[in-house]
Amino acid sequence: MRIRSLALRHYRNYHEQELTFSAGKNIILGQNGQGKTNLLEALYLLSHSRSHRASLDRELLMAGSDYAAVSLVMMPHGYLADIRLDVQMKRDTAGRLKTVFKLNGTPLKNRSQLLGHLPSVSFFNTDLALLRGTPSDRRRWLDAAVTQYDKRHFTYVAEYEKIRKQKSRLLKEQGMACTPAHLAVWNEQLARAGARLLQSRLSYLCFLYDPSVVRYLELSGQQEALNFSYQSQLEEANKAFKSRVDIDLEQAYMALLNHRINEERQRGVCLVGPHRDDIRFYLNGLEVCAYGSQGQQRTLVLALKLTELELLSQTSGEPPILILDDVMAELDPERQQYLIDHIPPEIQVFLTTTHLDAQLNPVVARYVGEGNSTIFKVSAGQIQAQPEKRCIR
C-alpha cells in the first residue's frame, strides 16, 4: 500500500493543504502545536473511519467552519489503477453534522464499508494509556486493532453498543418497574451480541500472544517475561483464552444476566457484558500497570505495535502504512533503533518529530539520511515539502 497524495480542507487547523508523499519515509517536522498530529489523524480517519482522539466528528472541523473534507489517493499493491478515499463533513441548516465517506467518488452506506481499504498500524503517544489508563482505554486499543485485522469486528462493536445503550436507557428510566420478562428480551440480544464481540476479541488475542511475548523478550535483552490475560466477567472466557478451548459464550452470558437481573433493576445500570472487560499485562509475574516502570511500559506497547504490524502484513494482503506520532521522544536510543530495524522496507512510514538534529536525535537523523524519504516542515497549519527530497509522482 502506498499513499500518493492527501488533500485537507478546513480540517482542524488546516485551511487548504495538498501533499504528495514519498513511497518510503515521510517525516513530519515541526514544533508542538503546529498541526503534525492533525495530519496523521487525517490518515487514521480514512483507515479506521473514526478519529483516534475525537469522540465526535464535529471536533474535526476548523473553528468557525461548517464544512471539512479529507481526500486521499493511494496505490494498492498489484492494482493498475489508484484508489481514492474521501470523507466530507458538513452541517445542515439545522446545525446537524452529516459525515459521508466515499470510495472512488461513490458514497458508502456506512463507515464499516471503508474498513480494509487502507490498512494501518499507528503508534500515538496516547497509546501509552494502554497501560497507564483505564480499562476502557485498553478495550479501545484492542477493538481498533481487531478491526484492522478483521473488519467484521467493527460491526460487532457497533451492534453490541446499540443494544447496550438501549437496555441501559430502559433500566435508568424504569428501574424496578422494568419487569424481568421485559428485560429478558433485551438480555437475549445482549448475550448474543456480547458473545460475538467477546469471541472476536479472544481470537485476535490468541494470535497476538506468542509473537508479542517473543518481541518483548528480545527488547528486554532476555531479562523479562511478558504475560497477559483477558479479564472477563465470564470465568469460562478467561480460561478459554489460555487453553484455546471453545465454549458457549452466549449461554454463559445468559446465565450471568439472569443471575444479576434484579441487581441491574435495583441499580438501573447494565452490569454484565464485554463493555466491563479488561486486559491485564504482567512482567515476571508482576502487573505492569502497578509495578512497571515507564521504560517497561513503553517497551511493552512497542512490542504490541510491532506484532500488530507483523500480523496485519501477513493477513491483509497489503503492506499496511505505519503511523508514528512523536513516539521516538518516548523511547531511548536502543528501543528507537529496534523499532527502526524492525520496520519492513516495503512499509510506507509517516513519522512526526520536533527536530532532526544529529546530536539531539541521532537515531532518527540517521534513519532519515538513509534515503527514500521526504521531509515536510509544519508551521501554524502550513506544510511545505523540503525541496532537496524527492516525492513519488
Side-chain angles (χ1 to χ4, degrees), residues 257-325:
L257 284 162
N258 289 333
H259 178 69
R260 302 189 69 177
I261 191 168
N262 286 329
E263 185 182 359
E264 288 189 329
R265 292 169 64 217
Q266 290 171 355
R267 295 176 59 179
V269 177
C270 186
L271 299 174
V272 176
H275 65 288
R276 290 181 170 266
D277 293 352
D278 197 1
I279 307 101
R280 302 284 180 83
F281 296 90
Y282 305 87
L283 293 176
N284 291 341
L286 297 177
E287 189 168 1
V288 179
C289 235
Y291 300 101
S293 67
Q294 289 191 1
Q296 288 172 320
Q297 292 176 356
R298 294 182 185 118
T299 302
L300 202 160
V301 174
L302 177 57
L304 291 173
K305 291 295 180 177
L306 285 172
T307 304
E308 286 180 44
L309 185 66
E310 179 184 356
L311 292 178
L312 193 56
S313 298
Q314 292 172 356
T315 59
S316 68
E318 282 283 347
I321 65 168
L322 179 60
I323 299 171
L324 302 172
D325 187 26

Side-chain angles (χ1 to χ4, degrees), residues 22-43:
S22 163
K25 294 165 282 190
N26 296 276
I27 312 303
I28 319 301
L29 177 65
Q31 296 302 310
N32 293 329
Q34 303 305 302
K36 302 190 305 296
T37 299
N38 293 343
L39 176 60
L40 298 192
E41 180 190 39
L43 300 178

